[in-house]
């Protein structure tokens, strides 16, 4: 099976006095190297779906297969290890640690994984920053950077442990159109040139236009799933 | 450096002022803990030293605690003969065979022993009479078990050897009789024997009852006066290790059959008061550290609240709850370590200053220094207390940080 990420009958209900169904019986399979956009109106459940696919959240029922492994039997620590090794996240707000320099932010996941020593981790971080065109900023703090630069640093950090899949939640939602275009191009190149699987949630139509495959979500269900052109 | 440690350090240096306040709390707590405990322990040891040094560590007297096993009982097989209401024979004539027993005790290492014959006598001078305790001593051995030689303000114990009719009395008694060194007085023993004696030494211990009622003469002279030739009724024993007194007293009593009382046994009430005093003191000084730990709790709780987003992002990238807890525990440990270090230094400084303080208690002629105990034990105790309260104070915020659920935070931010 070539699907790198697969979901089967995913349901996520937010418990409470009035339970809210965020994701309602979604099944899908994502192939290696795909650049996928999940689209939908606010509150449609597209972010919740992304959190379930990214093992950040646990489904009420249904299964997620990551790289051939069924994940529902995993505990919190096992899920954290999968996130560390196989997944990378980019969020709408860059979420860099304000008190750490750019290079320290990028090497955080590498050092947590602990496979590279400090100098090798730094070299890898600089290489990633270079590839994303922000290597000159490596010694700066996040507040000294522009929004587009921060988001590129965030992408570098998401790529730090060479993940299989990059998950992005509104990566261009907080950027002007020029920076947004750059970020979109970077994500597309990651999928097409480096073979990363990129899953992005967005309601930016121009971003969606660049994707290989678009999935529309309405009220927690898949409304449309198509590959343009 | 471990990544968790680096994050911890960044948090602390990022909030320098609050970190400094927490740190100051620990520093002051440790310093006061040290200063107060060193003073209290110092005064305790000073007290015990006086207690121990001013009286013999062990006193062997001619009393018998338990009656001897009776021959009839020894003959009987397994309780066939049982004698009830047996009392030891009242023995007032002194320690039987004291020379053998003295030799036996002297043979033991790490102790000095002096034989003494104690009795009552009446001193008469210029028409005044005073009842006193007269101890017949051997000056050479007495000096090794008693501080009386150090308390002499005129004459000496050795003068007794020179003048067999000499007597050493306290200043209290001398003032009552209004006499001085070299004057003669009459000593009348309970038996009726009387003898004129010359004052060859005056001592002052500072304890009024000792200064007014204790007198010393040569052992041989006392034996003649009390009509108990070749007898003593006390062994006074001083040990190299005062705290071994209980065990040594036990061995001596087993070997000789004479009642041996150690200073520990004689001062049990005072020692238990000291223990209670220490417990009170340690609870008070530990309370200072508990208050300081609230400062740490406050700082770390604020950091956890402020850094919820950071914690969420760390967890989303694959940090375990344990890693996040570790970050905040590290922060507690760092504050504890640095605080203890500076606290120990400051405490040692305080102890030094206190040790220079001279006080003059009312009614005492000499100035005294505050007794400070420099034992390593209390430095370790202060550090242990500080570290424990810091880690406990960090534990609650750390647990809360470990429970941060990234999705809840991300949902809130989106």
């Amino acid at each position: 099976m070539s699907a790198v990420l697969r979901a089967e009958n995913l349901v996520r209900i937010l418990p409470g006095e009035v339970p809210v169904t965020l994701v309602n019986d979604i099944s899908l399979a994502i192939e290696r190297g795909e650049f996928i956009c999940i689209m939908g109106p606010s509150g449609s459940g597209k972010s919740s779906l992304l959190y379930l696919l990214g093992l950040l959240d646990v489904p009420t029922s249904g299964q997620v297969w990551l790289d051939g492994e069924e994940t529902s039997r995993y505990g919190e620590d096992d899920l954290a290890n999968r996130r560390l090794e196989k997944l990378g996240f980019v969020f709408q707000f860059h979420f860099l640690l304000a008190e750490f320099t750019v290079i320290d932010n990028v090497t955080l996941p590498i050092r947590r994984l602990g496979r590279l020593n400090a100098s090798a981790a730094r070299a890898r971080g600089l290489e990633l920053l270079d590839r994303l065109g922000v290597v000159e900023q490596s010694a700066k703090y996040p507040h000294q950077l522009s929004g587009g630069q921060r988001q590129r640093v965030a992408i570098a950090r998401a790529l730090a442990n060479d993940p299989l899949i990059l998950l992005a939640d509104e990566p261009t939602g907080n950027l002007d159109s020029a920076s947004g275009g750059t970020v979109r191009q970077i994500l597309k190149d990651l999928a097409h040139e480096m073979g990363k699987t990129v899953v992005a949630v967005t309601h930016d139509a121009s971003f969606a236009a660049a994707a290989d495959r678009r999935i529309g979500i309405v009220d927690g269900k898949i409304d449309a799933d198509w590959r343009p052109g | 450096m471990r990544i968790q440690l680096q994050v911890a350090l960044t948090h602390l240096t990022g909030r320098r002022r609050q970190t400094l306040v927490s740190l100051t709390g620990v520093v002051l707590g440790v310093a006061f803990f040290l200063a107060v405990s060193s003073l209290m322990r110092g005064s305790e040891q000073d007290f015990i030293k006086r207690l121990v040094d001013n009286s013999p560590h062990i006193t062997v007297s001619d009393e018998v605690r338990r009656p001897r096993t009776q021959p009839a009982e020894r003959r009987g097989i397994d309780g066939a003969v049982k004698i009830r209401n047996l009392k030891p024979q009242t023995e007032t004539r002194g320690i039987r065979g004291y020379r053998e027993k003295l030799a036996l005790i002297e043979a033991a290492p790490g102790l000095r022993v002096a034989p003494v014959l104690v009795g009552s006598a009446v001193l008469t001078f210029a028409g005044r009479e005073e009842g006193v305790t007269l101890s017949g001593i051997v000056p050479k051995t007495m000096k090794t078990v008693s501080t009386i030689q150090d308390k002499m303000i005129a004459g000496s114990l050795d003068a007794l050897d020179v003048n067999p009719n000499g007597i050493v009395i306290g200043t209290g008694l001398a003032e009552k009789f209004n006499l001085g060194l070299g004057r003669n007085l009459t000593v009348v023993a309970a038996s009726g024997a009387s003898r004129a004696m010359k004052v060859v030494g005056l001592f002052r211990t500072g304890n009024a009852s000792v200064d007014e009622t204790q007198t010393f003469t040569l052992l041989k002279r006392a034996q003649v006066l009390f009509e108990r030739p070749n007898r003593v009724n006390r062994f006074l024993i001083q040990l190299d290790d005062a705290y071994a007194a209980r065990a040594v007293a036990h061995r001596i009593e087993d070997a000789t059959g004479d009642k041996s009382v150690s200073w520990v046994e004689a001062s049990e009430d005072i020692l238990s008061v000291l223990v209670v005093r220490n417990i009170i003191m340690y609870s008070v000084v530990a309370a200072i550290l508990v208050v300081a730990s609230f400062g740490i709790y406050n700082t770390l709780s604020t950091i956890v609240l402020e850094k919820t987003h950071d914690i969420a992002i760390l967890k989303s990238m694959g940090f375990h709850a344990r890693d996040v807890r570790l970050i905040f525990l590290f922060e507690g440990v760092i504050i504890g370590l640095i605080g203890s270090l500076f606290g120990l230094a400051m405490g040692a400084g305080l102890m030094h200053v206190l040790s220079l303080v001279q006080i003059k208690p009312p009614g005492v002629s000499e100035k005294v220094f505050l007794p400070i105990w420099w034992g390593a034990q209390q430095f370790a105790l202060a550090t242990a207390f500080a570290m424990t309260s810091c880690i406990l104070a960090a534990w609650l915020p750390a647990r809360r940080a470990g429970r941060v659920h990234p999705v809840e935070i991300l949902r809130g931010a989106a």
Side-chain angles (χ1 to χ4, degrees):
Chain A
M1 183 182 297
S2 63
V4 68
L5 189 60
R6 192 157 65 87
E8 212 146 275
N9 307 110
L10 274 188
V11 177
R12 176 71 168 107
I13 298 169
L14 212 56
E17 266 181 55
V18 184
V20 182
T21 307
L22 299 172
V23 173
N24 190 1
D25 196 24
I26 285 183
S27 301
L28 84 161
I30 294 168
E31 308 293 321
R32 194 177 286 267
E34 272 190 313
F35 179 26
I36 298 183
C37 252
I38 300 178
M39 304 173 65
S42 301
S44 58
K46 56 192 191 306
S47 290
S48 299
L49 175 62
L50 191 79
Y51 300 150
L52 290 173
L53 293 175
L55 308 182
L56 276 173
D57 202 4
V58 179
T60 310
S61 68
Q63 290 99 39
V64 175
W65 274 265
L66 169 64
D67 198 20
E69 283 180 303
E70 204 273 308
T71 56
S72 65
R73 63 197 160 85
Y74 288 147
E76 209 185 304
D77 287 351
D78 291 314
L79 293 177
N81 289 338
R82 298 301 177 289
R83 290 202 295 273
L84 187 63
E85 290 176 38
K86 298 186 174 173
L87 302 172
F89 291 92
V90 179
F91 298 100
Q92 176 175 7
F93 302 98
H94 59 88
F95 271 149
L96 298 175
L97 303 192
E99 288 142 341
F100 285 75
T101 59
V102 163
I103 183 69
D104 280 344
N105 263 289
V106 174
T107 53
L108 264 173
I110 308 178
R111 293 176 56 192
R112 175 59 189 85
L113 190 62
R115 285 186 190 151
L116 300 179
N117 63 27
S119 60
R122 190 181 157 79
R124 161 114 184 115
L126 287 174
E127 179 201 322
L128 284 168
L129 287 173
D130 187 34
R131 199 183 302 165
L132 291 164
V134 281
V135 72
E136 312 82 54
Q137 323 295 333
S138 70
K140 289 186 184 167
Y141 286 89
H143 69 89
Q144 297 168 305
L145 268 53
S146 73
Q149 287 172 325
R150 284 180 210 165
Q151 201 59 298
R152 279 187 269 169
V153 174
I155 294 172
R157 184 175 66 185
L159 294 171
N161 283 333
D162 197 18
L164 288 170
I165 305 164
L166 198 71
L167 298 149
D169 191 3
E170 304 273 11
T172 58
N174 211 28
L175 300 178
D176 59 69
S177 60
S179 312
T182 316
V183 167
R184 183 179 64 216
Q185 193 55 46
I186 288 169
L187 293 177
K188 191 173 180 176
D189 290 348
L190 283 174
H192 293 167
E193 288 167 22
M194 293 175 60
K196 302 281 177 211
T197 306
V198 177
V199 182
V201 161
T202 186
H203 50 235
D204 175 351
S206 59
F207 190 98
D212 304 331
R213 177 180 171 192
R214 287 173 237 174
I215 297 173
I217 305 279
V218 175
D219 292 336
K221 281 175 176 293
I222 294 182
D223 179 56
D225 184 351
W226 80 101
R227 294 165 202 269
Chain B
M1 187 172 21
R2 285 185 73 155
I3 186 68
Q4 295 92 336
L5 188 59
Q6 193 192 342
V7 176
L9 281 171
T10 311
H11 281 172
L12 291 179
T13 49
R15 300 188 61 89
R16 213 160 283 156
R17 192 200 305 231
Q18 263 198 302
T19 307
L20 229 63
V21 171
S22 313
L23 211 56
T24 312
V26 181
V27 170
L28 290 180
V30 170
F32 287 136
F33 185 109
L34 258 184
V36 174
S37 85
S38 71
L39 197 55
M40 293 290 273
R41 294 298 300 274
S43 85
E44 175 194 329
Q45 298 203 336
D46 187 52
F47 187 84
I48 290 181
K49 190 173 174 319
R50 281 163 203 250
L51 190 74
V52 166
D53 288 351
N54 286 347
S55 57
H57 293 165
I58 299 172
T59 307
V60 181
S61 61
D62 57 348
E63 288 167 54
V64 179
R65 288 199 221 221
R66 218 168 299 144
R68 255 182 257 175
T69 316
Q70 296 300 299
E73 250 179 329
R74 233 177 284 149
R75 289 290 299 272
I77 311 143
D78 282 344
V81 177
K82 186 153 178 80
I83 301 171
R84 289 175 185 277
N85 293 333
L86 196 65
K87 284 183 188 156
Q89 189 185 6
T90 316
E91 183 96 46
T92 53
R93 298 295 296 173
I95 297 173
R96 291 165 171 237
Y98 91 85
R99 284 179 207 283
E100 289 75 30
K101 288 176 180 172
L102 187 63
L104 184 79
I105 296 171
E106 268 174 344
L111 60 76
R112 299 167 299 282
V113 58
V116 179
L117 178 64
V118 181
S120 302
V122 175
L123 261 53
T124 321
F125 178 74
R128 273 197 77 160
E129 292 179 348
E130 283 292 334
V132 296
T133 305
L134 182 65
S135 302
I137 59 165
V138 180
K140 191 161 58 86
T141 56
M142 190 63 181
K143 276 192 283 184
T144 63
V145 300
S146 159
T147 53
I148 198 76
Q149 177 70 29
D150 306 330
K151 312 283 184 190
M152 300 298 296
I153 58 167
S156 71
L157 281 185
D158 291 325
L160 292 173
D161 279 330
V162 181
N163 184 350
N165 272 332
I167 185 167
V168 172
I169 66 173
T171 49
L173 198 60
E175 277 161 24
K176 271 190 183 173
F177 282 138
N178 198 13
L179 55 68
L181 208 62
R183 303 296 296 271
N184 287 307
L185 44 69
T186 311
V187 181
V188 183
S191 61
S194 83
R195 188 172 280 270
M197 285 184 161
K198 190 179 187 182
V199 177
V200 295
L202 287 173
F203 62 84
R204 179 166 62 208
T205 60
N207 180 333
S209 82
V210 172
D211 290 351
E212 285 178 13
T213 62
Q214 296 296 325
T215 58
F216 300 94
T217 187
L218 221 50
L219 177 60
K220 289 229 166 3
R221 181 61 63 227
Q223 284 170 340
V224 172
L225 210 54
F226 294 135
E227 291 174 359
R228 287 151 88 175
N230 275 324
R231 286 278 177 160
V232 302
N233 57 5
R234 297 263 198 289
F235 292 140
L236 305 183
I237 299 172
Q238 206 73 3
L239 303 173
D240 291 342
D241 174 17
Y243 291 88
R246 194 189 279 269
V248 175
H250 232 76
R251 280 209 300 279
I252 292 174
E253 184 158 345
D254 282 347
T256 64
D258 294 305
K259 183 176 172 185
S260 305
V261 178
S262 64
W263 66 271
V264 186
E265 192 181 343
S267 332
E268 255 170 8
D269 52 342
I270 294 173
L271 292 178
S272 65
V273 166
L274 289 178
V275 170
V276 171
R277 208 179 67 139
N278 273 345
I279 292 173
I280 296 172
M281 180 266 294
Y282 278 122
S283 4
V284 172
V285 291
I288 305 174
L289 283 171
V290 170
V291 173
S293 70
F294 271 100
I296 298 173
Y297 171 79
N298 189 34
T299 303
L300 295 188
S301 294
T302 317
I303 295 180
V304 170
L305 280 181
E306 219 174 52
K307 300 290 175 196
T308 332
H309 280 102
D310 285 10
I311 297 166
I313 201 74
L314 287 174
K315 286 189 98 174
S316 77
M317 73 174 62
F319 276 60
H320 294 186
R322 193 174 50 240
D323 298 319
V324 174
R325 278 201 300 270
L326 204 57
I327 289 173
F328 288 91
L329 285 178
F330 272 143
E331 292 176 23
V333 170
I334 291 168
I335 293 180
L337 276 179
I338 299 178
S340 300
L341 209 69
F342 281 97
L344 290 182
M346 187 176 163
L350 270 178
M351 283 157 69
H352 179 68
V353 170
L354 282 174
S355 71
L356 296 177
V357 172
Q358 272 188 331
I359 46 168
K360 192 170 173 292
V364 174
S365 49
E366 284 172 70
K367 284 188 175 176
V368 292
F369 286 100
L370 286 177
I372 298 284
W373 183 51
W374 287 90
Q377 184 198 343
Q378 57 189 346
F379 286 84
L381 204 62
T383 312
F385 257 115
M387 289 312 290
T388 312
S389 52
C390 286
I391 291 170
L392 284 182
W395 175 249
L396 287 175
R399 203 178 54 158
R400 187 148 19 103
R403 284 181 185 163
V404 165
H405 202 291
V407 171
E408 282 165 21
I409 306 302
L410 295 172
R411 247 187 217 126

